[in-house]
Every structure is written in C-alpha cells, then in structure tokens.
Amino acid sequence: MLEVLDVHTSYGKIRALKGISLKVERGEIVTLIGSNGAGKTTALKTIIGTLKPHRGEIRLDGNRIDRLSTDKVVRMGIAQSPEGRRIFARMSVLENLELGAFARADKHNVAADMGRVLALFPRLGERLQQKGGTLSGGEQQMLAMGRALMANPKLLLLDEPSMGLSPILVETIFETIRNIRQQGTTILLVEQNARMALRISDRGYVIQAGYIVLHDRADDLLRSDLVRKSYLGEKFA
C-alpha cells in the first residue's frame, strides 16, 4: 500500500531523513521505533505532506504522493493522529470528530463511521458535548485517534499514541489499535514504547539519526540484541 523510497527530508540545513526506505502492506500494523530526534515524526510528516522531501519518492497504491498538498494526501486515503494530540480545545468532542470528516466526499457514510468511532471509544460517546480541552490525557488521545478515523483512511498514521498515559490506559490504547486493524484499517505506528508496539505489529523498522538501521518481523526484532539493549532497557552481562 505505502512505499517510501530513498526519502531525504531537511529542516533548513539540518538533514533529518537521510535516505529512508520502508513499505507498509495492506492490512498490516508496521511500527517505526527509535530514540528522540531519530526522525520518526519527520517520517510521518513527510508521508502526509506537511514536510516535503528534497529527494526520493512516496507512493500510495502505486500513485506518487510526495508532490501533493496535505489535503490531497488526506483525500487519497491517509490520516494522522499527531504527536501531542492537537485537538481543538475550545470545540466539543462532537465538533472535533466532525472536523475529521471535513474532506470526505461520501457524506452519506459519515454517520456510520461516527457510530464506529464511538463504539471503539465509548468514553467519547459519553462526552460528545464536552469541550476537548477539558478531557483527560487518555480521552484526548482517544479523540485524536477518533478524529483521524473519521476521515475513513486506508492508512492511519499514529504518532506516539501512548505518550504520557497511565499503564492501564496504554493497554487500552494498544488494544484499540488492534481492533482498528481488525476492522480493515492499515496502520503505521510511531512509538517509543517499543515493547508494546512490537507486540501488536507485523513488522518493524528501527531508525537512528535519520537512517533505517534494521528491519524485520516484529517478533524477531523483540529478540534482536540492538533492540533489546537500546529500546527495551535490557542489560547484557
């Protein structure tokens, strides 16, 4: 479904991505793990078009998208739940969710997708008229993910969905990610909680300093010495 081919992205003179390549097959959960500043969020921003690569190509279902504006990328079937949630604090939960469907042409299907989102996140259904800014951190994460799903994407980009959440809510969020995949949405997940991310993923990529340094099946990455030492906190004698 998604192909990222030798992509280079910079912030001014700072090279953030230095020729990364990755792919996501339809129906997969693929995770991208790495330390702070490794290039994970930059990769997602480049895929969805808020940053433009100065070299390389990005293709969705064989169609090149790296030259398109973000709104056109969204219309082609990619949506993102960004790092830090970035919900609209003064708008209600319902209004935030409705904004997620703003670019859709199939307005007749929006109500059904609203029902799907509220079934995935029952807490949001209990707070539809509540202002987004008054929600707890976990509820705001649910709202950010629900808003992205309201675009009815083929591919969902999730950027650090567990950040700042309690262990119980982390379990809830990851179980929901599994459910979203089971309902037919392909997922590219960026996550610092490498152990949890790899446990629910099919494959994973490790990014360091703007380079992809390792790619394998998720269960094999969990056994990799590099991943165990650098991202799982395990120590070797």
Side-chain angles (χ1 to χ4, degrees), residues 60-223:
L60 180 69
D61 289 331
N63 300 303
R64 191 167 179 179
I65 63 171
D66 53 275
R67 297 170 178 171
L68 300 180
S69 60
T70 298
D71 64 299
K72 291 181 179 177
V73 173
V74 170
R75 287 185 172 91
M76 289 187 71
I78 300 180
Q80 181 178 13
S81 175
E83 181 183 14
R85 294 135 199 176
R86 300 191 184 180
I87 63 167
F88 294 94
R90 296 184 181 181
M91 299 176 69
S92 69
V93 168
L94 179 60
E95 289 168 334
N96 271 275
L97 292 174
E98 289 173 339
L99 273 177
F102 177 77
R104 290 178 59 170
D106 61 332
K107 301 298 184 184
H108 58 285
N109 291 323
V110 170
D113 285 329
M114 180 71 75
R116 173 195 173 199
V117 167
L118 297 182
L120 281 167
F121 302 107
R123 292 193 199 184
L124 299 183
E126 299 167 1
R127 293 161 172 76
L128 284 177
Q129 302 309 318
Q130 191 170 327
K131 299 296 184 186
T134 66
L135 299 178
S136 69
E139 291 163 350
Q140 288 187 16
Q141 184 59 59
M142 295 173 191
L143 181 54
M145 292 171 63
R147 181 181 61 190
L149 287 171
M150 285 300 296
N152 191 30
K154 302 175 187 177
L155 174 64
L156 177 63
L157 309 180
L158 295 176
D159 195 351
E160 302 287 6
S162 75
M163 182 181 289
L165 302 185
S166 68
I168 292 176
L169 278 176
V170 169
E171 291 280 354
T172 299
I173 290 295
F174 277 98
E175 183 59 34
T176 302
I177 294 171
R178 284 195 189 97
N179 292 338
I180 291 169
R181 191 264 286 275
Q182 289 172 358
Q183 293 181 7
T185 303
T186 304
I187 297 169
L188 177 57
L189 169 65
V190 158
E191 179 58 60
Q192 283 198 346
N193 189 332
R195 190 183 305 276
M196 289 289 290
L198 290 169
R199 282 176 176 171
I200 68 166
S201 297
D202 300 289
R203 294 184 298 110
Y205 292 84
V206 178
I207 186 169
Q208 291 182 351
Y211 296 96
I212 299 293
V213 297
L214 192 60
H215 162 236
D216 213 330
R217 290 174 49 86
D219 52 357
D220 289 327
L221 286 177
L222 279 168
R223 293 191 290 268

